[in-house]
Amino acid sequence: NWQKLINRLAKRGWTQERLAKRCGAGQSTISDLVTGRTKQPSFELGVKLVDLSKSKIHAHTARVFWRRASRVG
């Protein structure tokens, strides 16, 4: 269930906006999955959400990583 998966990520600190940016989707797409307006994400988005849910990386850690990575490039 996509709603449960996204809600679990939210409990780990991921906002809908951050999830959307990280997955290359719009915040409204994430919101539609949470509310049930959209029942199934695209294959690509689904894979990215599942990967994030399996990851031990929390939102704070990811933000620090992306900030550092953006300085390097």
Side-chain angles (χ1 to χ4, degrees):
N1 179 308
W2 297 105
Q3 292 169 317
K4 289 180 183 177
L5 186 143
I6 294 169
N7 286 331
R8 280 195 305 264
L9 287 167
K11 287 179 183 176
R12 290 172 49 190
W14 289 92
T15 64
Q16 289 184 10
E17 183 179 356
R18 286 227 174 257
L19 280 173
K21 285 181 182 179
R22 179 70 171 89
C23 294
Q27 185 273 330
S28 61
T29 300
I30 302 298
S31 176
D32 287 348
L33 287 167
V34 170
T35 62
R37 184 173 185 196
T38 299
K39 302 293 181 196
Q40 189 71 29
S42 67
F43 177 79
E44 184 178 281
L45 176 56
V47 167
K48 290 177 181 180
L49 288 170
V50 168
D51 284 348
L52 280 175
S53 73
K54 291 180 179 179
S55 171
K56 298 296 181 194
I57 297 175
H58 292 274
H60 173 74
T61 306
R63 282 193 296 271
V64 170
F65 172 80
W66 290 114
R67 272 192 226 127
R68 288 180 183 165
S70 66
R71 288 185 208 149
V72 173

